[in-house]
Amino acid sequence: MFGHETGEERLIAERSNVLEADAFQDVLVVGAGLMGSSIAWLLSKAGCRVVLIDAGSFGGEASAAGAGMLAPGGEYREPSPAARFAIESLAMYPTFVRQFEKESGISIDYRKCGAIELAYDHEGWRALRRRADTQRRFGISAQMLCPSSLSALAPGLNLEGLLGVLYYPDDACVAPADLLRALRAVCECEGVRILENSPVEKIDAERRRVMVRVREQRIIGRHLVLAAGAWSSQIPVSRLGVTTHIPESFPVKGHLVGYRLLSGSLRPILRNGHHYIVQRKSGFTIAGSSEEQGGFNRSVNPERISEIRHAVGSFYTPISMLEPTREWTGFRPASESHAPTIGRVPGTNVWLAYGHYRNGILLAPATAHLVSHQITECAPQVTGR
Ligand code: GLY
């Protein structure tokens, strides 16, 4: 039963070079980004003893790098299970954020700010109208706006040559740094044990338990969730000593550029093609992005930065002459199926939650609820620590 060691488990723990005498955990979560820590928090609330393990620092990779757009309007153009999942996750956000704020006392910059998609040529505008028709049929609200109404909604927008505008009123934004601070606090409050700078070398699944090797130590759990973003498939997983295939994960690097603007000067997200702008409550304004496949190379490429600056400056004039105050990169967690990898590795208690690609921040609430529900359902005896 969760929360109670059997004699066999105690013996294993004693024989192993484990973290502590009571290191037999209910759930080990590998990857302390938004995804892993949200799952850890929910499982802990459900009464599980949880250890959250990260190779680096809590939320130190894609979660912290992201612009924080919660914007299915710009990301899902066709009906699909992934699109439905995204719409569901967006709807969960207000409660998700309120709960963290209430439990941690940390305020989170989350706003239903809407998003504007711009078309400066006829072909682009035709494509946007077709897209809106399709999206409305599967649940994304999209309105056509008259370009002349935009000076009030988004002052500073370049109206010259603007042919059409699509408005997504339900799209929202969140500051990932706020979310991560609050998540860490609520995880700690729930008793989640957080191990940072602790790379997991391998995952060994046996019939009813899973072991990981971390810095020469073994940690044993009843279940394990692998949520290590782009790094997930680099960790070998074996079942009863035999290597098991898990879907490949890989990084798609994005460059981002930050500017200091007046707080409140831009409300909605602005998008044109692959480029977007989103403003935090503080006025810090983020422009993105590129999509590059080339491994885990963190370097900032001045050419990519200049392309982004030029592209966003062409539709949002307040930043066309402004020097950025920050330039950075992040690794989107892509996977071979181009869709999130969520589910159980057959015949094991290893669960996968990675590959959220461009929408990890958006998909965190729905993924966390799904994975934590699946784990607690298959162990209905969870009754409390
Ligand atoms: N979610 C936006 C991006 O990945 O650039």
Side-chain angles (χ1 to χ4, degrees):
M1 204 164 86
F2 271 32
H4 297 276
E5 279 175 40
T6 63
E8 183 205 4
E9 289 163 359
R10 211 170 10 257
L11 209 62
I12 292 159
E14 280 164 14
R15 282 210 206 108
S16 314
N17 180 18
V18 291
L19 210 59
E20 297 171 347
D22 69 345
F24 202 104
Q25 305 293 330
D26 293 326
V27 188
L28 314 178
V29 180
V30 179
L34 216 46
M35 210 60 73
S37 53
S38 304
I39 294 168
W41 169 68
L42 279 178
L43 284 169
S44 190
K45 279 182 95 63
C48 304
R49 284 180 307 185
V50 182
V51 178
L52 181 57
I53 308 165
D54 199 281
S57 58
F58 187 100
E61 292 289 350
S63 306
M69 292 191 299
L70 310 173
E75 300 285 339
Y76 297 90
R77 295 164 186 211
E78 301 293 334
S80 65
R84 269 200 305 282
F85 196 57
I87 295 167
E88 200 181 298
S89 203
L90 179 66
M92 294 167 106
Y93 244 94
T95 310
F96 192 60
V97 164
R98 252 197 319 272
Q99 220 172 342
F100 292 149
E101 288 191 320
K102 190 161 158 251
E103 290 184 23
S104 69
I106 293 170
S107 112
I108 296 172
D109 174 13
Y110 160 79
R111 279 163 297 128
K112 188 173 159 183
C113 56
I116 284 175
E117 186 95 33
L118 308 158
Y120 286 93
D121 61 67
H122 288 286
E123 183 43 44
W125 181 221
R126 264 193 300 278
L128 279 189
R129 285 198 312 254
R130 274 197 304 273
R131 180 167 124 188
D133 285 343
T134 310
Q135 288 179 317
R136 282 189 207 106
R137 285 200 285 272
F138 67 85
I140 292 181
S141 167
Q143 302 164 2
M144 275 182 262
L145 293 186
C146 168
S148 62
S149 67
L150 285 177
S151 25
L153 191 59
L157 200 61
N158 178 11
L159 299 177
E160 204 182 311
L162 187 61
L163 290 181
V165 181
L166 215 54
Y167 180 54
Y168 292 105
D170 297 333
D171 283 4
C173 64
V174 70
D178 292 353
L179 210 47
L180 287 166
R181 252 195 312 278
L183 245 172
R184 182 174 195 135
V186 296
C187 277
E188 282 170 349
C189 189
E190 285 295 334
V192 173
R193 178 99 186 260
I194 300 170
L195 302 182
E196 296 175 281
N197 304 309
S198 302
V200 168
E201 291 157 31
K202 60 190 188 98
I203 296 169
D204 290 311
E206 296 187 353
R207 273 200 181 82
R208 290 193 307 274
R209 63 195 183 115
V210 188
M211 281 180 296
V212 295
R213 186 163 285 283
V214 178
R215 292 188 303 201
E216 298 300 305
Q217 291 185 310
R218 277 204 291 177
I219 311 174
I220 306 166
R222 176 89 63 200
H223 290 263
L224 178 140
V225 180
L226 179 54
W231 289 265
S232 297
S233 69
Q234 290 191 345
I235 304 172
V237 178
S238 71
R239 175 175 171 255
L240 299 172
V242 179
T243 304
T244 296
H245 170 81
I246 59 167
E248 192 197 344
S249 62
F250 55 92
V252 175
K253 176 170 158 178
H255 277 79
L256 291 133
V257 187
Y259 300 87
R260 289 258 155 248
L261 289 181
L262 210 58
S263 166
S265 54
L266 177 64
R267 182 175 162 76
I269 295 165
L270 303 181
R271 283 189 190 252
N272 184 25
H274 297 301
H275 294 105
Y276 54 78
I277 305 178
V278 55
Q279 188 173 86
R280 301 262 186 269
K281 204 154 128 198
S282 64
F284 186 63
T285 302
I286 297 165
S289 183
S290 57
E291 288 197 349
E292 302 154 60
Q293 281 192 45
F296 292 96
N297 170 2
R298 292 179 193 280
S299 64
V300 171
N301 180 337
E303 273 179 48
R304 297 287 93 75
I305 296 292
S306 140
E307 281 162 15
I308 294 168
R309 290 182 62 188
H310 180 261
V312 296
S314 73
F315 63 85
Y316 187 57
T317 44
I319 57 178
S320 58
M321 305 298 281
L322 208 59
E323 279 303 311
T325 55
R326 204 186 145 206
E327 299 164 357
W328 72 101
T329 60
F331 296 125
R332 298 181 188 90
S335 77
E336 56 195 63
S337 67
H338 302 294
T341 295
I342 302 174
R344 190 178 198 165
V345 177
T348 72
N349 280 353
V350 175
W351 302 79
L352 308 177
Y354 59 82
H356 295 76
Y357 191 35
R358 295 177 56 92
N359 291 295
I361 297 171
L362 168 62
L363 298 174
T367 307
H369 278 276
L370 178 64
V371 174
S372 60
H373 179 74
Q374 286 173 338
I375 292 177
T376 50
E377 276 290 291
C378 85
Q381 63 272 53
V382 174
T383 52
R385 280 183 289 251

